[in-house]
Amino acid sequence: MSETSVYYDPFDIEINADPYPTYRRLREEAPIYYNERYDVWALSRHSDVEKGLVDWQTFSNCRSDILEIIQSGMELPSGVVLFEDPPLHSMHRGLMSRVFTPKKMNALEDKVREFCARCLDPLVGRGRFDFIADLGAEMPMQVIGMLLGIPGADQPAVRERSDAFLRTEAGKPMAVQQDAIANGQMFAEYVDWRAQHPSDDLMTALLNAEFEDETGTARTLTRDEVLTYTQVLAGAGNETTGRLIGWLGKVLGDYPDQRRELVEDRSLIPNAIEETLRFEPTGPHVARYVARDAEYYGETVPAGSAMLMLVGSANRDEQRYEDPDRFDVRRDIGQHLTFGYGVHYCLGAALARLESRVALDEVLNRFPDWEIDYDNVKFASTSTVRGFEALPVFVG
């Protein structure tokens, strides 16, 4: 590892506000980086991150994909597909993928548009709205609530409890509590009620789906497993999609000419979503447990270490993308790494794409022009996702 003065800290407020200059220096000066204070390694080049995400035998998910949980050494509950490797991961992912198919997610479009209209219509004529409070915090939870059968009146409390787990004190690691890791108890009442009153929602599908477990036994999920799955879905589906909606508001507020292109040609919206995911990923990094020694640039990363895969850096690697710091809704993007890569590719990617595509389309229908109210923008404090707590805009 070459001598360098570059410093990277995943919890540093100033770095996180604009991490891209630091990422660039890491790629150039320290493509394998070690932070002694937090005892964590980091990979920053696209080729290394891409290969690392595929190599689950070396970079394991079995202790979580969140740095603080990996380093806590806590025992994780069974059934959290995010925190598993094959063959167990393959079994649980296979079950989830039968429920979370792109075809089934796309069939939700009319309902998603209805939720967007419910959020946005009351705001027309007011002269301003907040991409987070008025849309990003509301619509994704309504979609997840519909999928899981959670009554509308209970959805805000579910969202707040899910979000609270990811919140951190600015500049500090997340405080990890064993009883907060995907125990799903907040959903017990809904699961028990749905078990007695089956419907066509996702929770009913989880309760009744038959699969072959790791012992070769054909069975359905246990109640505890359903609770765990439900909490994972609620948390992941709400937080990241809400942050993506915020980034759409921010980036297209900063690039009004490209926003006008989208107003005139809605066929560009799907690619604009992909470019936003590349340009400002909601999850700037994912963590892995190093299961065996790994060699990078003459440096040995010892087994037992924690590794950060810097997705935000990889997505702006000059070796992978031409002029990567330029936002371009017409870019031929290819493969970005925001949703992961390999066996742990995000199961909810199709739903996130659907929700963000519909949300942007419906925003442009009502508010084709906006300016960001920078005096009142508030950045979210979290060590797992990057985005906004508040993003108010002025609209014509």
Side-chain angles (χ1 to χ4, degrees):
M1 187 161 53
S2 60
E3 292 294 326
T4 176
S5 62
V6 64
Y7 176 74
Y8 173 70
D9 175 345
F11 309 110
D12 187 280
I13 300 171
E14 292 186 5
I15 292 175
N16 285 335
D18 181 14
Y20 300 107
T22 300
Y23 288 161
R24 185 183 305 110
R25 288 193 61 194
L26 287 174
R27 292 193 302 270
E28 293 172 354
E29 302 172 32
I32 181 68
Y33 177 81
Y34 179 66
N35 181 301
E36 186 174 359
R37 177 183 179 186
Y38 293 109
D39 188 23
V40 61
W41 298 80
L43 288 171
S44 51
R45 291 179 178 174
H46 186 283
S47 59
D48 293 329
V49 173
E50 184 179 61
K51 291 175 183 175
L53 291 173
V54 172
D55 183 9
W56 58 266
Q57 294 96 335
T58 302
F59 301 108
S60 171
N61 261 56
C62 68
R63 299 197 183 187
S64 169
D65 60 356
I66 297 174
L67 175 61
E68 295 94 320
I69 298 177
I70 291 174
Q71 293 183 327
S72 75
M74 70 166 51
E75 183 178 348
L76 297 173
S78 173
V80 184
V81 69
L82 299 175
F83 303 163
E84 295 174 337
D85 293 322
L88 195 61
H89 174 270
S90 304
M91 178 191 72
H92 286 135
R93 186 181 178 90
L95 173 63
M96 292 292 290
S97 63
R98 283 154 48 190
V99 178
F100 250 78
T101 66
K103 182 178 180 181
K104 289 182 178 179
M105 295 302 100
N106 287 330
L108 301 172
E109 179 163 341
D110 289 345
K111 201 68 178 177
V112 174
R113 286 193 183 275
E114 179 185 322
F115 291 148
C116 283
R118 188 184 302 168
C119 292
L120 296 172
D121 282 347
L123 307 174
V124 175
R126 294 188 181 181
R128 62 184 291 130
F129 81 99
D130 191 315
F131 268 91
I132 303 301
D134 296 323
L135 187 58
E138 294 296 327
M139 187 270 287
M141 189 68 248
Q142 291 180 26
V143 174
I144 291 295
M146 173 189 66
L147 290 173
L148 297 176
I150 301 169
D154 294 344
Q155 289 174 14
V158 170
R159 181 186 66 233
E160 288 167 10
R161 290 180 67 181
S162 296
D163 289 355
F165 168 66
L166 296 173
R167 290 293 177 271
T168 59
E169 184 178 345
K172 295 183 179 181
M174 178 174 64
V176 178
Q177 300 177 355
Q178 177 72 54
D179 60 0
I181 306 297
N183 61 25
Q185 288 304 312
M186 75 176 79
F187 300 101
E189 180 181 344
Y190 311 125
V191 169
D192 293 342
W193 191 89
R194 187 55 79 201
Q196 300 299 318
H197 303 85
S199 180
D200 61 352
D201 60 18
L202 182 58
M203 192 174 286
T204 300
L206 289 174
L207 284 164
N208 293 289
E210 292 188 356
F211 67 103
E212 186 175 292
D213 68 15
E214 66 273 23
T215 69
T217 303
R219 65 177 180 89
T220 57
L221 292 170
T222 66
R223 179 178 181 272
D224 285 347
E225 286 173 333
V226 172
L227 289 173
T228 297
Y229 271 66
T230 303
Q231 179 163 329
V232 170
L233 289 171
N238 177 56
E239 179 78 7
T240 54
T241 304
R243 297 289 166 244
L244 174 54
I245 290 171
W247 280 117
L248 288 168
K250 170 65 165 60
V251 173
L252 293 173
D254 289 341
Y255 295 87
D257 291 345
Q258 297 199 50
R259 184 181 68 230
R260 293 183 193 107
E261 288 191 63
L262 300 180
V263 172
E264 296 299 322
D265 185 357
R266 301 303 173 90
S267 71
L268 293 173
I269 287 179
N271 204 65
I273 301 297
E274 299 306 310
E275 175 68 341
T276 303
L277 286 163
R278 181 198 71 83
F279 193 71
E280 292 286 10
T282 53
H285 55 252
V286 294
R288 293 289 189 266
Y289 174 76
V290 182
R292 59 191 184 191
D293 288 359
E295 298 287 334
Y296 285 94
Y297 305 99
E299 188 78 12
T300 299
V301 180
S305 299
M307 175 69 78
L308 287 178
M309 303 289 181
L310 301 182
V311 171
S313 174
N315 281 350
R316 295 219 195 176
D317 190 339
E318 300 84 349
Q319 299 301 312
R320 177 61 179 79
Y321 300 101
E322 183 179 351
D323 197 6
D325 293 324
R326 176 176 55 86
F327 179 77
D328 182 3
V329 298
R330 297 179 181 273
R331 180 188 295 273
D332 182 8
I333 299 166
Q335 179 73 46
H336 63 68
L337 300 179
T338 299
F339 287 131
Y341 197 64
V343 298
H344 292 104
Y345 186 80
C346 177
L347 270 169
L351 181 58
R353 286 181 166 115
L354 167 67
E355 290 185 68
S356 55
R357 173 175 59 80
V358 172
L360 180 55
D361 192 33
E362 293 298 319
V363 167
L364 293 174
N365 285 340
R366 294 162 179 81
F367 311 114
D369 291 302
W370 65 81
E371 292 184 7
I372 298 170
D373 177 8
Y374 281 104
D375 290 340
N376 292 293
V377 169
K378 184 178 179 182
F379 208 68
S381 177
T382 169
S383 64
T384 55
V385 294
R386 182 171 173 269
F388 299 94
E389 201 76 52
L391 189 75
V393 297
F394 301 108
V395 295

